[in-house]
């Protein structure tokens, strides 16, 4: 089959690789219908996540059709159209049993590196390096889905592929970020990052009846997309305004109660900080650029919550721990627990409360995968999410 | 030998030190599983099994081969109930610098919780056919 593979830092290519096969009794094989680029793929591509090997198939946000199931799969059969959570969860360990699926004890067969760096290993993740299990990703014609009864969810007929696709990762990541931030009535919410996850977090906060939601970014096209996709949301262009001063002004000197960081380890900054962060990250492996996180902690209201949805992989310097302690902030984070959220999110899309398909700005065949990432990496042409269609020579065009 | 009865009566239990029969069974089990001797790294590895101790096998021969093979390598294996959690602590200590302990303990936990050991495939051979990202 064809698959989009990591070749080295900054290099992707479509390769011919062996078709996946069932390796465990709880596996399903899925023919990929659609697979999206994701911001966290850029961390792999740009060399900030260790343990990638040339030939690794990337991609973790996808839906497809079940074509074969293992002997112990009970909830799916060939022909099911399924959306699959990006982290793998066994459904049996203490973490899965408590709904903390991305902390699964049993889904990362290669936990040694993660244990060495993080103290404990989290769940395996599709297409996300050998530190997260070495599972081939979804930018391919077919994919093996371990623990299919727990991670794959049948998509109702009334949902389009693109409405369901982002329930795999962006939507549950955003929802979990808003939930962990404590978004709700009477609470003000600020979201750093107007990409796919940031927009889903902002929409989640709206659906949780937050008092006000403001989205912050440095890319005007993304802020325009946020305004278009999220009626009622406010925006701050970080290249035009002092974010801290603007938030203080908006919220009567208090600052936002709930701060959601949806940027991660490659956050951009301005001035000397920008130069410092970029040089530091290149020279010292394992150091993350955390401009948005620092800003969120500083801006957060006293007693508020900072919820980190952006992916970090290593160490952060100049982290304002003094602000966390002296403002009595709560810090929440984690890879998304999709298995917990996806059923409710499917219902939200069916009801019309949520339409994640607004994130799909570009559509193309698998052969154009390197181009998709080039667009996405440079935020070119208003690219929020490029969707790859492995099974089609011509990708579908957006509805007029 | 009913090991978990001993747990309840005597607290922490060294599984494979209590019965010559159990060791023989473990040896046979390991031989059938084709397991190789452990490497040089040793130490202690502990996991929490999301099962009540009462639900676990009471006969050592019924435990996963990954664990019973540890007895061959003269490794202390302890199984304790975790108070208040209805789960079980499995702790294996290599006395003489044996390694690969973590993998075998993790595999034991996986089998007891999920029924099988999750496999990850090898990195595929490559045959580049398309362009690069610049």
């Amino acid at each position: 089959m064809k698959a989009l593979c990591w070749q080295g830092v900054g290099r992707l290519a479509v390769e011919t690789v062996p078709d996946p096969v069932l390796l465990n009794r709880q596996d399903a094989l899925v023919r990929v219908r659609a697979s999206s680029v994701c911001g966290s793929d850029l961390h792999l591509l740009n060399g900030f996540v260790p343990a990638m090997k040339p030939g690794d198939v990337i991609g973790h946000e996808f839906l497809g059709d079940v074509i074969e199931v293992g002997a112990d799969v009970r909830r799916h059969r060939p022909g099911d159209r399924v959306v699959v959570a990006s982290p793998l969860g066994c459904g049996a360990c203490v973490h899965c049993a408590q709904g903390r699926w991305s902390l699964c004890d049993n889904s990362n067969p290669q936990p040694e590196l993660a244990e060495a760096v993080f103290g404990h290993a989290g769940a395996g993740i599709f297409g996300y390096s050998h530190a997260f299990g070495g599972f081939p990703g979804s930018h391919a014609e077919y994919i093996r889905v371990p623990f299919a009864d727990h991670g794959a969810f049948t998509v109702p007929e009334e949902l389009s592929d693109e409405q369901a696709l982002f329930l795999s990762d962006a939507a549950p990541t955003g929802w979990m970020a808003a939930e962990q931030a404590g978004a709700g009535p009477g609470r003000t919410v600020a979201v750093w990052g107007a990409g796919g996850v940031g927009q889903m977090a902002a929409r989640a906060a709206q659906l949780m009846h937050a008092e006000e939601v403001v989205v912050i970014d440095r890319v005007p096209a993304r802020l325009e997309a946020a305004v278009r996709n999220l009626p009622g949301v406010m925006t701050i262009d970080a290249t035009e305004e002092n974010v801290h001063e603007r938030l203080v002004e908006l919220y009567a000197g208090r600052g936002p109660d709930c701060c959601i960081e949806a940027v991660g380890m490659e956050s951009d900054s301005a001035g000397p900080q920008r130069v410092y962060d970029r040089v530091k990250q290149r020279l010292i492996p394992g150091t993350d650029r955390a401009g948005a996180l620092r800003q969120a902690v500083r801006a957060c209201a006293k007693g508020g919550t900072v919820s980190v949805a952006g992916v970090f992989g290593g160490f952060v310097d100049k982290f304002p721990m003094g602000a966390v302690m002296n403002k009595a902030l709560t810090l929440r984070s984690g890879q998304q627990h999709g298995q917990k959220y996806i059923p409710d999110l499917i219902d939200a899309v069916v009801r019309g409360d949520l339409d994640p398909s607004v994130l799909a700005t570009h559509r193309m065949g698998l052969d154009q995968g390197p181009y998709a990432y080039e667009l996405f990496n440079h935020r070119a042409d208003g690219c929020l999410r490029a969707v790859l269609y492995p099974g089609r020579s011509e990708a579908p065009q957006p509805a007029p | 030998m009913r090991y978990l009865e001993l747990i309840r009566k005597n607290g922490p239990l060294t599984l494979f030190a209590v019965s010559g029969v159990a060791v023989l069974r473990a040896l046979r089990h390991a031989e059938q599983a084709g397991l190789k001797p452990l490497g040089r790294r040793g130490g202690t590895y502990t996991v929490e099994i999301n099962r009540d101790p009462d639900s676990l096998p009471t006969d050592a021969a019924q435990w996963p081969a990954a664990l019973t093979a540890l007895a061959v390598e003269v490794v202390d294996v302890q199984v304790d109930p975790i108070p208040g959690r209805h789960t079980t602590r499995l702790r294996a200590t290599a006395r003489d610098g044996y390694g690969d302990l973590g993998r075998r303990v993790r595999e034991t936990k996986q089998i007891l919780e999920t029924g099988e050991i999750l496999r990850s495939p090898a990195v595929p051979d490559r045959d580049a056919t398309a362009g690069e990202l610049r």
Side-chain angles (χ1 to χ4, degrees):
Chain A
M1 69 170 182
K2 286 185 176 179
L4 183 63
C5 300
W6 189 88
Q7 300 278 298
V9 175
R11 292 187 295 130
L12 296 171
V14 176
E15 300 181 7
T16 300
V17 302
D19 288 359
V21 295
L22 298 175
L23 293 176
N24 285 92
R25 298 193 307 270
Q26 298 173 69
D27 288 355
L29 290 183
V30 169
R31 181 188 295 115
V32 178
R33 294 172 70 99
S35 181
S36 176
V37 305
C38 174
S40 53
D41 294 332
L42 298 179
H43 308 323
L44 310 176
L45 187 60
N46 295 331
F48 300 122
V49 173
M52 289 296 288
K53 295 179 182 175
D56 284 344
V57 181
I58 65 168
H60 56 262
E61 186 158 43
F62 66 102
L63 92 163
D65 298 315
V66 174
I67 58 170
E68 190 178 353
V69 296
D72 289 350
V73 173
R74 297 285 179 266
R75 296 177 187 164
H76 296 291
R77 59 185 178 183
D80 284 359
R81 184 174 62 135
V82 294
V83 60
V84 180
S86 58
L88 288 79
C90 74
C93 69
V94 288
H95 298 290
C96 291
Q98 294 174 23
R100 303 182 305 194
W101 293 82
S102 70
L103 305 181
C104 176
D105 280 341
N106 293 319
S107 64
N108 183 350
Q110 303 172 36
E112 293 83 3
L113 177 60
E115 286 180 347
V117 175
F118 305 139
H120 301 85
I125 300 176
F126 291 106
Y128 210 67
S129 88
H130 294 265
F132 292 88
F135 295 98
S138 58
H139 295 338
E141 293 178 277
Y142 302 94
I143 186 169
R144 166 190 169 227
V145 177
F147 301 122
D149 275 347
H150 301 295
F153 296 84
T154 301
V155 178
E157 282 185 16
E158 58 263 47
L159 264 58
S160 70
D161 283 356
E162 288 182 6
Q163 282 180 310
L165 169 61
F166 300 105
L167 303 181
S168 172
D169 191 274
T173 301
W175 193 273
M176 177 169 144
E179 184 181 88
Q180 291 194 334
R187 306 265 287 172
T188 53
V189 177
V191 181
W192 276 258
V197 169
Q199 291 199 24
M200 289 295 101
R203 181 61 188 148
Q206 289 180 325
L207 291 172
M208 293 172 187
H209 307 290
E211 182 88 12
E212 277 185 325
V213 181
V214 59
V215 175
I216 302 145
D217 206 300
R218 305 177 63 81
V219 180
R222 292 200 161 184
L223 292 171
E224 290 164 13
V227 170
R228 194 167 57 244
N229 297 334
L230 304 162
V233 79
M234 293 184 291
T235 59
I236 298 175
D237 184 340
T239 65
E240 298 286 334
E241 298 184 84
N242 181 307
V243 173
H244 186 83
E245 288 179 5
R246 181 76 177 118
L247 288 171
V248 166
E249 177 195 343
L250 273 175
Y251 301 120
R254 197 177 76 243
D257 304 305
C258 311
C259 293
I260 297 172
E261 199 276 3
V263 179
M265 69 173 83
E266 294 183 68
S267 175
D268 213 350
S269 303
Q273 183 68 49
R274 182 174 194 273
V275 176
Y276 166 84
D277 272 344
R278 285 177 177 268
V279 170
K280 173 206 68 182
Q281 194 173 38
R282 285 295 172 196
L283 291 181
I284 310 172
T287 57
D288 298 338
R289 301 202 307 260
L293 176 61
R294 294 188 194 108
Q295 204 170 58
V297 168
R298 188 160 177 268
C300 191
K302 292 187 284 187
T305 300
V306 177
S307 174
V308 185
V311 172
F312 289 83
F315 301 90
V316 168
D317 62 306
K318 301 191 301 302
F319 180 75
M321 194 60 210
V324 173
M325 193 276 166
N326 290 293
K327 293 201 294 181
L329 302 184
T330 298
L331 191 61
R332 301 288 303 274
S333 191
Q335 299 279 359
Q336 57 110 353
H337 309 311
Q339 290 86 341
K340 173 182 175 183
Y341 296 106
I342 288 173
D344 288 344
L345 290 172
I346 288 175
D347 290 344
V349 179
V350 170
R351 286 195 307 270
D353 290 338
L354 181 68
D355 184 8
S357 68
V358 297
L359 301 182
T361 53
H362 296 73
R363 298 156 181 86
M364 51 196 83
L366 185 62
D367 285 345
Q368 292 176 282
Y371 174 62
Y373 277 94
E374 189 170 338
L375 278 179
F376 186 56
N377 203 14
H378 296 104
R379 278 80 168 153
D381 193 31
C383 185
L384 266 181
R385 282 284 200 269
V387 180
L388 303 178
Y389 285 86
R392 304 187 193 184
S393 56
E394 290 186 9
Q397 296 305 304
Chain B
M1 181 62 67
R2 298 291 174 178
Y3 299 105
L4 290 167
E5 288 176 12
L6 288 177
I7 291 175
R8 282 188 286 273
K9 290 177 181 173
N10 305 321
L13 170 71
T14 300
L15 260 184
F16 301 111
V18 297
S19 168
V21 174
V23 171
L24 287 173
R25 284 177 175 172
L27 280 167
R28 192 165 60 243
H29 220 66
E31 188 179 14
Q32 289 167 353
L35 294 174
K36 295 176 182 176
L38 296 164
R40 290 191 172 184
R41 290 178 301 162
T44 297
Y45 204 90
T46 307
V47 293
E48 180 178 13
I49 299 171
N50 190 26
R51 287 181 59 174
D52 191 285
D54 289 338
S55 74
L56 294 174
T58 53
D59 188 329
Q62 294 173 6
W63 280 67
L67 183 69
T68 53
L70 293 175
V72 180
E73 305 292 343
V74 197
V75 171
D76 287 336
V77 178
Q78 291 184 301
V79 179
D80 312 303
I82 299 180
R85 286 177 67 84
H86 303 293
T87 58
T88 302
R89 183 182 73 155
L90 171 62
R91 180 173 183 266
T93 303
R95 288 199 292 267
D96 297 317
Y98 293 103
D100 210 8
L101 195 61
R103 179 179 64 80
R104 293 191 184 181
V105 172
R106 282 195 306 272
E107 288 179 354
T108 299
K109 168 182 160 70
Q110 278 194 27
I111 291 170
L112 291 171
E113 289 184 336
T114 75
E116 59 182 336
I117 297 170
L118 180 63
R119 296 175 60 196
S120 59
V123 178
D125 292 334
R126 292 173 296 145
D127 176 19
T129 57
E132 293 181 349
L133 180 76
R134 284 178 290 276

